[in-house]
Amino acid sequence: MLILNHLWIIPLLPLLGAAINGLSGLFGAKWPNKAVTAVAIGSTGLSFLAALECVREFLNLPAAQQALPWVKQYFTWIAAGTFRAGFDLQIDHLTIVMLLVVTGVGWLIHIYATGYMSHEGGYYRFFSYLNLFMFFMLILVMAANYVLLFVGWEGVGLASYLLIGFYFLKKSASDAGKKAFIVNRIGDFGFMLGMFLLFRTFGSLDFVTVFDKTRELPADALGQFGILTISCLLLFMGATGKSAQLPLYVWLPDAMEGPTPVSALIHAATMVTAGVYVVARSHILFTHAPTAMLVVASVGAATAFFAATIGLVQTDIKKILAYSTVSQLGYMFLACGVGAFSAGIFHLMTHAFFKALLFLAAGSVIHAMGGEQEVTRMGGLSGKIRWTYFTMLMGTLAIAGAPGFAGFFSKDAILFSAFQHAPGGRILYAVGLASALMTAFYMFRLIFLTFHGKPRFDEHHVHVHESPKSMLGPLVVLALLSIIGGWMAAPSFWGGTDHFTAFLAPVFGAEAAPEAATAAVSEAAEHSLELTLAGVAVATAFLGFFLAFWLYLRRPGVADQIAKSAKGAYTTLLNKYYVDELYAAVIIRPLVWISDNVLWRAVDASGIDGAVNGAAAGTTALGDRLRRAHSGNTRSYAVWVVIGALLILAVIFWPMLKPAAGMVP
Amino acid sequence: MFPPREEFLRVLPILIFCGGGTLLMLLQPFLRSRTAFSLLALAGSLTAVVSVGCSAAHPGAAFYGLIGSDPASVFFEFLVGAVAFLVILGSASYLERESLAPAEFYALIFFAAAGMCVLASAREMLTAFIGLEMSSISSYILAGYRRESPKAAESALKYFLLGSFATAFFLYGIALLYGSTGTTVIAQMTPLAPGLLPKLGLALLLIGLSFKVAAAPFQLWTPDVYEGAPTPVTALFSAGPKAATFALLLRIFVEMPLAAGEWTRIFWILAVITMFAGNLGALLQTNVKRILAYSSIAHAGYILVAFAASNEIGVAAVLFYLLAYAAAKLGAFSVVAHLGGAGEKRIELDDFAGLAQRQPIAAAAFSLFLLSLLGIPVTAGFFGKFYIFKAALASHLIGLAVLLGVNSVIAAYYYLRLIIVMYMREPKEETAALPFPGAVTTVLALCALATVYFGLFPNHIIAFASNPRLFGH
């Protein structure tokens, strides 16, 4: 019970790491990179071990105790009137999944980064930020109330901002950092309003209280905008910002300006899934608000499709993966929106494995190519960097949904749940399937362009070399996880155990129960339906693979011909539907104009500044007068005391004397 | 009849301060070592701080109800004891540098602290008067402790003359109150007959105490006295007697039946003129010690705002504010005391130019204290001001809250100017760094710790100060 009673240890370790490495900057060269490495990897590694121990202890608790979240209240952080926000951490099955993903994958990426960043300046700064990120992410997933969760939420945003702009001398990097920050602010605005509304409704922001009270409430009807629906939509607005969904996804592709380990850790495996986590965490609220659920599912499906189409034509290896991340996050929201929360969290976990793998492998490719990121200038690398090729292929098979790989089971679970969903389920399914087709296509396109065919770069100048062991080790581990990570949730008819859904049942169980009951009625029919759907999915994945194979290996010219014949569509996709340009024209430029001409020139410069400068001059003049009163002459000071005494007496007695002058003796 | 043992435990901190001071005086002819005196004084003041726990464990009245122990007195005794301890800790190196005799210095601080503790725990006016005089007379001597400095002599004499003048008001106030109520026990003062006399008495009392807390228009002595006194003593003046006097004022206005009612207006006026007098006065000063002196006037004004609000939040705000203010002021004056150098010649603004390059940690600590005085979040000063605002708004004193805001803006000018000078201005001449001795560094670290800790977790103090039996029997 050591860790379970002292949950704070888990987030504290990376915070200490961040502090030590951050302060090491003061010592300059005296603090070697080796020490930074030891502190960074040691603190996250210990945190991972502590998380494992915590999980062991929690799973050893009696079943009745496990059914409820294990909450530890450490101290009251804010108290104002009836409002209380405590530094309260909690453990339940959902937190366990997140905890292991964050610390485990996070630790692997830390190890990888020691190799990847070894030649970069600001080594200590990088790891200080990275550890800081781990701290806030752990606070986010372990928080037992919305306020503390929001602390983590904002904290990871800060760390993300710092790390996107890590190469801050590069303008595009610092711009991307700002963009991420500002776009997230819009989402956070909604999130905060959602929190305020929840507090107003329930008088508390503790998960346990809010959810217990929600269970007693009647659900909002579909199409009705009751208090729960509005709260959920506001929370979801925050989620669209953090998890890069329509319409706030625009920051994520730009965030690829950060170092690749950052893209893997923050912008693929952990932080961007925070929105999914919040929706899953608040599943009781959401299941009471069918309208909000429909919005979540629709936005998820639309984003999955929309981002996948952009991914088809991108040529920057990291941008392809970024749009793929946006698309896969859409899948997770689709799952949550149709009520399959455990499928969504399952996909979150497998995605953390294979997308972290893909990014790290892409980093290894970039490393091998000496900084080149355009897939059009690569090709034929498979023989030269075998380990990278092999592991990246595993990741691609997993994301494309090849049978037996991690992504196959999670994607299958989502599509199956979508298909069965009552309102508009078939449409959601069709959109999801189309996205799956595109996913398989663009991922194999990436593989073929990068690793196969003839080299399209100058082989005399670019010295292709395999990455060091510190980078390959995490790749291999993640590749293994991408292969076997799905088996724990393999449905029973695949010979699996359905273990993952059962594991999360204490959290999502009550909500999933009715579905399971109906399922029992026609188990045989369901079985064949699931087999059919799985078959369709596999066929789709293969079709995507085949199209990519045919277009980019067999007939390399055809892709260009298609692009030429459908020039309009192609350029629209290449320019990402001109969404950034649209935002600039409709929102940013008018705002800048108003700020510049109205707020700055008219209000600030002439109005406020004028008043301020006038007031300052007046105040200084008064101060000068007052200074003269301090003559240093003791007798005049004594006179002032007398004057003051008379003043006070006058103030006290004046009102008494006036109305009742006759009464004074 | 000899009072029971418990009653002595209730006033144990006072007894320790008195006994310790006497012991130090008696040892003076026999001990030659400065270190021995410093260690003795430190041990004595630390014991006194610890003994506050003893008086907290035995709440109740002592010595026929003249004095007693309750949560408020415990809080202020602890504050005074901690201030005395930190001042002693920080002044050893100062005394050595200025070749001042240590024994009498520490003894006087002990007596002053004893007086302040009496002031904070007295339940009867004449006892309070004795406490006030004990602390004042020790203060007069301490102000002139650098005897060869003309400024110190001026400081002591002015303080003595004007202080006696104010004491006269105070004493006359007690006399009138006694005459009109027939008692000097604070909680029992109800007028025997209607009339102006009790009000007049209370007004005179208020005038006397206003002088002690440096409220305008009785504040004129403050800059001169603060400037001339040795800086560790200035630190003591700005934190200790002010807290103890406010403690008595609180007790009077919470406990005395007579004081209920119509005093908001008078506190309103005092608060406003004090705030403006302090902040406007500080604007054009170039001497850092004087800037801090004017700033303590301004802070007295802020605290008076809470008095004007006269509600429960206000009482809690006063306690919290005095704690936050003591930590920041002690820290700030400790920095100045050390950096002033021999004879305190280097306390002009220009002398602080480029401090951030020379001594980054000292500059950072000083900035932290200044930001706390200004009331920037994550420092204790922020919550202090926040609760005062809250108290003012709870009593619907919107105008006063606005004036408080205006004053905070004015104050930002001179606090930030100091920080800018330290961080952004090049020194006029090459100046050698003055490394801080360990003891002073400890003082700064403790003050900084308190400033940040209470800036993050104000709830402990607020919960304590919201105790409805804060002033109890």
Side-chain angles (χ1 to χ4, degrees):
Chain A
M1 301 295 284
L2 175 69
I3 303 289
L4 219 42
N5 282 326
H6 300 281
L7 293 175
W8 50 268
I9 291 175
I10 301 174
L12 184 76
L13 285 163
L15 180 65
L16 281 178
I20 295 172
N21 276 341
L23 291 175
S24 77
L26 290 178
F27 306 111
K30 272 183 247 161
W31 188 260
N33 280 2
K34 267 194 185 146
V36 174
T37 309
V39 169
I41 294 196
S43 61
T44 38
L46 284 176
S47 183
F48 178 47
L49 288 180
L52 283 176
E53 169 64 13
C54 164
V55 171
R56 191 188 69 80
E57 287 169 8
F58 182 75
L59 296 181
N60 276 343
L61 290 176
Q65 237 175 315
Q66 283 191 44
L68 299 169
W70 173 275
V71 180
K72 276 272 150 194
Q73 303 190 334
Y74 289 105
F75 57 86
T76 297
W77 179 41
I78 305 170
T82 60
F83 177 78
R84 177 192 174 271
F87 188 85
D88 305 341
L89 300 178
Q90 80 168 36
I91 292 286
D92 63 4
H93 294 83
L94 175 59
T95 301
I96 284 178
V97 175
M98 296 301 292
L99 202 55
L100 293 181
V101 168
V102 170
T103 52
V105 176
W107 187 49
L108 288 174
I109 294 174
H110 269 71
I111 296 175
Y112 174 94
T114 58
Y116 189 85
M117 299 298 290
S118 56
H119 307 301
E120 302 282 346
Y123 190 76
Y124 75 91
R125 189 163 58 89
F126 178 82
F127 279 101
S128 176
Y129 293 165
L130 215 56
N131 277 11
L132 186 69
F133 166 78
M134 293 291 283
F135 164 70
F136 281 121
M137 192 69 206
L138 288 167
I139 291 289
L140 196 164
V141 299
M142 295 175 78
N145 57 51
Y146 280 103
V147 184
L148 194 61
L149 184 146
F150 193 64
V151 172
W153 182 272
E154 290 294 280
V156 291
L158 167 73
S160 160
Y161 163 77
L162 290 171
L163 284 164
I164 294 170
F166 182 73
Y167 302 118
F168 54 83
L169 292 178
K170 205 166 119 197
K171 184 161 185 324
S172 60
S174 62
D175 282 352
K178 278 187 272 183
K179 185 169 174 184
F181 205 78
I182 292 165
V183 172
N184 268 296
R185 271 285 76 60
I186 300 170
D188 294 347
F189 178 65
F191 194 93
M192 280 196 277
L193 289 182
M195 284 203 297
F196 299 157
L197 199 56
L198 285 179
F199 176 68
R200 221 190 73 125
T201 316
F202 298 109
S204 168
L205 286 173
D206 289 344
F207 290 148
V208 176
T209 319
V210 171
F211 299 154
D212 282 352
K213 285 190 177 166
T214 310
R215 283 201 185 88
E216 293 159 12
L217 289 179
D220 291 356
L222 189 62
Q224 175 202 350
F225 282 84
I227 203 87
L228 288 173
T229 306
I230 295 172
S231 310
C232 287
L233 288 176
L234 287 170
L235 289 182
F236 181 59
M237 182 171 161
T240 56
K242 190 68 68 195
S243 293
Q245 297 295 292
L246 281 173
L248 297 179
Y249 72 96
V250 288
W251 64 272
L252 187 58
D254 288 20
M256 296 301 128
E257 291 286 346
T260 307
V262 171
S263 312
L265 177 61
I266 301 183
H267 305 121
T270 55
M271 184 191 83
V272 288
T273 62
V276 182
Y277 169 75
V278 163
V279 172
R281 173 57 75 204
S282 319
H283 65 100
I284 296 168
L285 292 171
F286 277 89
T287 42
H288 276 69
T291 316
M293 288 286 269
L294 195 60
V295 171
V296 173
S298 313
V299 169
T303 310
F305 184 84
F306 178 80
T309 56
I310 300 177
L312 294 176
V313 300
Q314 296 300 310
T315 54
D316 182 318
I317 188 166
K318 284 181 75 181
K319 287 267 165 80
I320 298 174
L321 292 176
Y323 281 104
S324 158
T325 304
V326 175
S327 166
Q328 297 297 314
L329 288 166
Y331 261 105
M332 298 174 207
F333 280 110
L334 171 59
C336 293
V338 298
F341 292 103
S342 63
I345 293 297
F346 184 40
H347 195 57
L348 185 160
M349 184 183 80
T350 57
H351 177 256
F353 297 151
F354 60 66
K355 189 51 72 60
L357 168 62
L358 288 170
F359 265 112
L360 295 186
S364 183
V365 170
I366 297 167
H367 191 84
M369 295 290 297
E372 180 60 68
Q373 299 201 15
E374 290 291 317
V375 285
T376 51
R377 289 199 284 272
M378 294 180 185
L381 293 177
S382 61
K384 294 175 180 124
I385 42 175
R386 283 178 183 281
W387 282 99
T388 305
Y389 169 62
F390 176 72
T391 50
M392 194 162 193
L393 188 62
M394 293 302 114
T396 306
L397 287 169
I399 192 176
F405 284 81
F408 168 71
F409 295 107
S410 54
K411 200 177 276 188
D412 197 42
I414 292 174
L415 288 177
F416 178 62
S417 310
F419 188 80
Q420 286 195 316
H421 191 62
R426 303 290 156 89
I427 302 171
L428 294 173
Y429 171 78
V431 174
L433 196 65
S435 316
L437 172 67
M438 289 187 282
T439 307
F441 175 79
Y442 65 67
M443 282 313 301
F444 279 105
R445 168 175 173 266
L446 185 149
I447 290 284
F448 294 142
L449 285 176
T450 310
F451 293 104
H452 295 271
K454 290 204 177 72
R456 290 179 298 277
F457 54 90
D458 186 353
E459 284 180 274
H460 298 292
H461 282 93
V462 182
H463 170 62
V464 179
H465 56 287
E466 185 60 290
S467 302
K469 286 207 180 66
S470 57
M471 289 166 67
L472 293 180
L475 286 182
V476 172
V477 176
L478 285 170
L480 270 177
L481 286 172
S482 303
I483 299 169
I484 63 169
W487 296 356
M488 66 180 89
S492 37
F493 65 87
W494 293 115
T497 51
D498 252 338
H499 189 69
F500 196 82
T501 317
F503 182 74
L504 285 177
V507 182
F508 300 126
E511 281 67 32
E515 237 176 284
T518 52
V521 179
S522 54
E523 200 173 310
E526 182 135 325
H527 193 131
S528 66
L529 174 64
E530 188 153 2
L531 265 179
T532 317
L533 291 182
V536 173
V538 171
T540 315
F542 186 76
L543 181 64
F545 162 75
F546 180 75
L547 278 174
F549 176 73
W550 194 69
L551 281 174
Y552 292 97
L553 279 189
R554 279 333 271 278
R555 301 277 162 79
V558 180
D560 287 339
Q561 280 174 22
I562 295 176
K564 255 178 214 150
S565 58
K567 200 167 184 347
Y570 179 76
T571 43
T572 309
L573 286 182
L574 197 61
N575 289 299
K576 310 149 209 164
Y577 294 98
Y578 301 99
V579 171
D580 278 320
E581 287 76 6
L582 182 77
Y583 283 179
V586 178
I587 301 171
I588 300 170
R589 253 175 255 138
L591 264 181
V592 168
W593 188 88
I594 292 172
S595 304
D596 189 27
N597 290 301
V598 181
L599 294 179
W600 178 41
R601 281 178 218 280
V603 179
D604 195 56
S606 45
I608 298 177
D609 281 2
V612 167
N613 291 337
T619 315
T620 318
L622 254 173
D624 192 44
R625 283 277 170 80
L626 208 78
R627 194 168 60 155
R628 280 162 213 224
H630 285 255
S631 57
N633 184 326
T634 314
R635 274 162 299 172
S636 80
Y637 287 5
V639 170
W640 273 104
V641 172
V642 175
I643 293 174
L646 290 176
L647 176 82
I648 287 187
L649 295 179
V651 171
I652 292 173
F653 291 111
W654 185 249
M656 295 173 73
L657 286 173
K658 236 184 3 189
M663 276 168 60
V664 177
Chain B
M1 198 185 80
F2 198 70
R5 193 176 64 97
E6 272 197 349
E7 306 207 343
F8 288 97
L9 294 179
R10 282 175 189 151
V11 296
L12 194 59
I14 301 171
L15 297 180
I16 290 179
F17 272 127
C18 289
T22 316
L23 186 71
L24 282 166
M25 294 285 257
L26 290 177
L27 284 175
Q28 197 272 335
F30 306 109
L31 273 177
R32 282 276 153 267
S33 150
R34 280 177 177 279
T35 324
F37 278 116
S38 302
L39 288 177
L40 262 179
L42 275 177
S45 52
L46 196 61
T47 319
V49 173
V50 173
S51 75
V52 173
C54 182
S55 85
H58 298 88
F63 305 112
Y64 315 102
L66 296 181
I67 199 163
S69 159
D70 56 23
S73 80
V74 165
F75 177 86
F76 283 106
E77 278 175 350
F78 176 79
L79 185 59
V80 166
V83 166
F85 173 75
L86 290 173
V87 166
I88 290 170
L89 187 58
S91 52
S93 60
Y94 180 91
L95 292 174
E96 194 167 355
R97 191 183 74 204
E98 306 285 325
S99 335
L100 297 172
E104 295 88 340
F105 185 83
Y106 295 137
L108 285 167
I109 289 184
F110 271 50
F111 291 137
M116 295 175 222
C117 290
V118 171
L119 202 53
S121 43
R123 294 181 174 186
E124 188 265 350
M125 289 313 301
L126 281 173
T127 313
F129 175 72
I130 292 170
L132 188 69
E133 283 305 272
M134 276 171 79
S135 99
S136 297
I137 292 172
S138 313
S139 303
Y140 302 150
I141 309 173
L142 280 169
Y145 206 74
R146 288 188 298 155
R147 266 176 303 177
E148 73 292 349
S149 154
K151 274 207 166 174
E154 178 196 344
S155 159
L157 192 64
K158 270 188 188 163
Y159 198 14
F160 169 63
L161 286 174
L162 293 166
S164 313
F165 194 36
T167 306
F169 278 94
F170 184 70
L171 204 51
Y172 197 22
I174 296 177
L176 289 181
L177 278 177
Y178 177 67
S180 59
T181 64
T183 177
T184 52
V185 177
I186 295 173
Q188 294 169 4
M189 284 184 165
T190 35
L192 298 172
L196 296 180
L197 222 50
K199 274 212 159 159
L200 184 61
L202 199 53
L204 293 179
L205 216 63
L206 185 60
I207 292 165
L209 292 176
S210 297
F211 176 89
K212 296 288 172 192
V213 300
F218 314 106
Q219 92 296 7
L220 288 158
W221 57 277
T222 319
D224 294 356
V225 171
Y226 277 27
E227 190 191 354
T231 313
V233 172
T234 315
L236 178 74
F237 284 177
S238 68
K242 189 168 274 183
T245 315
F246 270 121
L248 179 64
L249 262 180
L250 265 185
R251 192 178 291 280
I252 291 174
F253 281 88
V254 171
E255 275 198 336
M256 194 190 278
L258 203 165
E262 295 299 307
W263 294 86
T264 293
R265 201 153 36 117
I266 202 80
F267 279 121
W268 198 102
I269 293 171
L270 279 178
V272 171
I273 38 184
T274 309
M275 288 191 291
F276 276 106
N279 285 322
L280 293 178
L283 277 184
L284 295 177
Q285 301 298 329
T286 55
N287 179 313
V288 176
K289 233 168 139 183
R290 275 186 92 88
I291 292 179
L292 290 176
Y294 279 102
S295 116
S296 30
I297 299 174
H299 284 279
Y302 302 150
I303 295 170
L304 286 169
V305 171
F307 274 88
S310 73
N311 50 27
E312 273 157 33
I313 313 168
V315 175
V318 171
L319 263 63
F320 187 85
Y321 202 97
L322 283 167
L323 178 73
Y325 164 81
K329 259 286 149 72
L330 264 181
F333 274 120
S334 300
V335 173
V336 176
H338 179 71
L339 292 179
E344 298 200 10
K345 297 214 167 62
R346 305 187 45 78
I347 47 173
E348 289 293 315
L349 261 183
D350 289 339
D351 298 323
F352 282 78
L355 185 67
Q357 280 83 48
R358 280 201 304 282
Q359 285 164 283
I361 294 177
F366 198 18
S367 306
L368 175 73
F369 301 133
L370 292 172
L371 291 176
S372 183
L373 290 172
L374 175 53
I376 297 289
V378 197
T379 62
F382 166 73
F383 276 107
K385 222 169 236 175
F386 169 77
Y387 286 111
I388 287 182
F389 264 109
K390 207 171 149 190
L393 292 178
S395 293
H396 307 291
L397 299 172
I398 314 283
L400 192 56
V402 169
L403 288 174
L404 176 57
V406 168
N407 270 281
S408 302
V409 174
I410 300 176
Y413 173 76
Y414 58 86
Y415 292 128
L416 294 182
R417 184 168 64 152
L418 245 170
I419 295 179
I420 287 171
V421 165
M422 286 192 289
Y423 277 86
M424 299 180 187
R425 202 176 295 164
E426 293 295 318
K428 283 208 177 111
E429 61 214 55
E430 209 46 48
T431 323
L434 274 177
F436 278 73
V440 184
T441 312
T442 314
V443 174
L444 294 185
L446 287 173
C447 292
L449 187 71
T451 302
V452 174
Y453 181 80
F454 292 114
L456 290 172
F457 310 105
N459 272 336
H460 305 301
I461 301 295
I462 292 298
F464 177 86
S466 307
N467 182 354
R469 301 187 54 80
L470 194 62
F471 295 92
H473 301 281

